[in-house]
């Protein structure tokens, strides 16, 4: 049947046979087109690394993989070490700090003593003048009936400089202090406001002397413990060899190079940011410059090994 009369007329087959031929021809052509299209796209995809992920990936964006390194395990440490630290000016003892590094419980313990403390029948200041820091340590050992492994005796200026080398310390001063002491053999004055302060080595010594003179031993202990916590850090661990070299050249001490080398694991643990260190201050009370029975018992308990 013909619809149009001119060239280009469209015919519809009158018979099923003719219709079937036309359908087969169209289907075959469609299949060839689809196959050709698939083949073409496949070749282009392989050549250009085409994928849905790549297609939808924003331009100029780099995808990087992040790797989280397992933190190294800290060494296992144990033991307790006692230190007697004396700060002096010429032959004048200013104060004594007793410190225990307790690796069994990962803690620091501290007691600040007056130079007038009577141990083994004599004041620590007199013992220091006659025979030095080592005998001050021995007198304390006899009184507390416990061993102190090391002594460190530092002149005032050397101690202040060494403290600053390790870094200033943030400390909350409870009350404003305005004080001048001209009666001492080593005069000093201090003026500091209440509130959070950055403590230098010079200020540390002056504050400690002030607290000791005013029988505020707990506050003096707190200042020392805060200094230990803040100074024992990863930055100082990295320069520990230089700090040790400075310690032995600016002080009198029985700490040896071998002692320092054997303390590597302890320093690794104590200066690591993941280590939680507990601190304790021992109660110090006097009666006629001698420890009270309560205070003596407390000190023996804190520094027992």
């Amino acid at each position: 049947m013909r619809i149009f009369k001119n060239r280009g007329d469209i015919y519809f087959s009158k018979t099923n046979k003719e219709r079937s031929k036309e359908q087969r021809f169209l289907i075959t052509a469609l299949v060839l087109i689809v196959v050709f299209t698939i083949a073409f796209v496949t070749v282009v995809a392989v050549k250009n690394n085409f994928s849905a992920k790549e297609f939808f990936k924003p331009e100029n964006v780099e995808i990087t993989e992040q790797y989280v390194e397992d933190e190294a395990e800290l060494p296992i440490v144990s033991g307790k070490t006692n230190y007697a630290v004396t700060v002096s000016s010429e032959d004048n003892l200013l104060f004594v700090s007793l410190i225990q590094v307790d690796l069994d419980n990962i803690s620091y313990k501290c007691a600040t003593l007056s130079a007038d403390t009577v141990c083994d029948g004599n004041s620590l200041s007199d013992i220091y003048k006659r025979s030095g820091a080592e005998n001050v340590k021995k007198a304390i050992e006899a009184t507390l009936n416990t061993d102190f492994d090391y002594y460190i005796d530092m002149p005032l200026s050397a101690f202040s400089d060494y403290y600053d080398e390790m870094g200033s310390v943030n400390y909350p001063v409870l009350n404003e202090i305005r004080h001048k002491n001209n009666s001492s053999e080593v005069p000093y004055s201090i003026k500091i406001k209440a509130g959070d302060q950055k403590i230098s080595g010079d200020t540390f010594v002056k504050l400690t002397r002030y607290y000791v003179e005013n029988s505020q031993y707990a506050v003096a202990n707190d200042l020392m413990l805060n200094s230990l916590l803040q100074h024992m850090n990863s930055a100082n661990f990295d320069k520990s060899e230089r700090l040790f070299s400075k310690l032995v050249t600016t002080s009198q001490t029985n700490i040896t190079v071998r002692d320092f080398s054997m303390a590597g694991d302890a320093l690794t643990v104590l200066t690591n940011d993941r280590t939680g260190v507990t601190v304790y201050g021992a109660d110090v009370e006097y009666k006629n410059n001698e420890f009270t029975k309560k205070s003596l018992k407390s000190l023996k308990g804190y520094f027992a090994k």
Side-chain angles (χ1 to χ4, degrees), residues 41 69 81 83 116 161 171 195 231 280:
V41 171
E69 296 182 0
T81 306
Y83 299 82
D116 295 328
D161 183 57
Y171 185 73
H231 281 161
Y280 302 94

Side-chain angles (χ1 to χ4, degrees), residues 108-153:
Y108 301 133
K109 300 167 188 175
C110 173
T112 307
L113 308 183
S114 165
D116 295 328
T117 304
V118 174
C119 287
D120 201 24
N122 296 280
S123 71
L124 295 181
S125 59
D126 287 342
I127 296 171
Y128 184 85
K129 283 183 178 181
R130 289 199 308 266
S131 53
E134 185 173 8
N135 283 300
V136 167
K137 176 181 84 73
K138 290 178 180 179
I140 293 171
E141 288 176 326
T143 302
L144 301 186
N145 194 29
T146 190
D147 292 332
F148 277 76
D149 305 271
Y150 303 110
Y151 69 89
I152 303 171
D153 178 36

Side-chain angles (χ1 to χ4, degrees), residues 65-250:
E65 295 184 5
Q66 296 181 347
Y67 298 92
V68 178
E69 296 182 0
D70 293 334
E71 292 181 331
E73 291 187 4
L74 295 175
I76 298 173
V77 294
S78 62
K80 299 176 181 179
T81 306
N82 288 338
Y83 299 82
V85 180
T86 54
V87 179
S88 59
S89 178
E90 297 181 354
D91 290 333
N92 299 296
L93 182 63
L94 301 181
F95 59 85
V96 180
S97 289
L98 304 182
I99 299 168
Q100 182 180 92
V101 178
D102 182 354
L103 296 176
D104 294 335
N105 302 292
I106 311 298
S107 65
Y108 301 133
K109 300 167 188 175
C110 173
T112 307
L113 308 183
S114 165
D116 295 328
T117 304
V118 174
C119 287
D120 201 24
N122 296 280
S123 71
L124 295 181
S125 59
D126 287 342
I127 296 171
Y128 184 85
K129 283 183 178 181
R130 289 199 308 266
S131 53
E134 185 173 8
N135 283 300
V136 167
K137 176 181 84 73
K138 290 178 180 179
I140 293 171
E141 288 176 326
T143 302
L144 301 186
N145 194 29
T146 190
D147 292 332
F148 277 76
D149 305 271
Y150 303 110
Y151 69 89
I152 303 171
D153 178 36
M154 299 193 80
L156 173 59
S157 59
F159 182 91
S160 299
D161 183 57
Y162 193 79
Y163 191 101
D164 292 339
E165 178 77 14
M166 298 186 76
S168 61
V169 168
N170 295 318
Y171 185 73
V173 178
L174 297 180
N175 300 295
E176 182 179 8
I177 299 172
R178 295 172 179 267
H179 178 72
K180 180 180 290 187
N181 183 338
N182 291 324
S183 61
S184 170
E185 294 184 46
V186 186
Y188 77 98
S189 63
I190 181 171
K191 181 179 178 182
I192 189 169
K193 295 181 179 180
D196 291 337
Q197 304 293 338
K198 285 200 171 190
I199 306 300
S200 66
D202 180 67
T203 303
F204 174 90
V205 173
K206 290 177 178 179
L207 274 175
T208 300
R209 293 184 67 186
Y210 172 82
Y211 292 139
V212 168
E213 286 176 12
N214 289 275
S215 301
Q216 298 181 43
Y217 297 101
V219 186
N221 291 343
D222 188 59
L223 177 59
M224 172 58 84
L225 290 169
N226 270 274
S227 298
L228 285 170
L229 286 173
Q230 294 181 48
H231 281 161
M232 295 295 283
N233 55 51
S234 56
N236 282 331
F237 177 78
D238 291 339
K239 60 180 183 180
S240 58
E241 290 186 7
R242 177 158 59 86
L243 286 170
F244 175 73
S245 177
K246 185 170 186 174
L247 175 70
V248 296
T249 55
T250 59

Side-chain angles (χ1 to χ4, degrees), residues 11 15 23 35 42 47 54 65 74 78 147 208 239 264:
Y11 292 87
T15 64
Q23 288 176 348
V35 170
T42 300
K47 184 177 180 181
E54 292 291 328
E65 295 184 5
L74 295 175
S78 62
D147 292 332
T208 300
K239 60 180 183 180

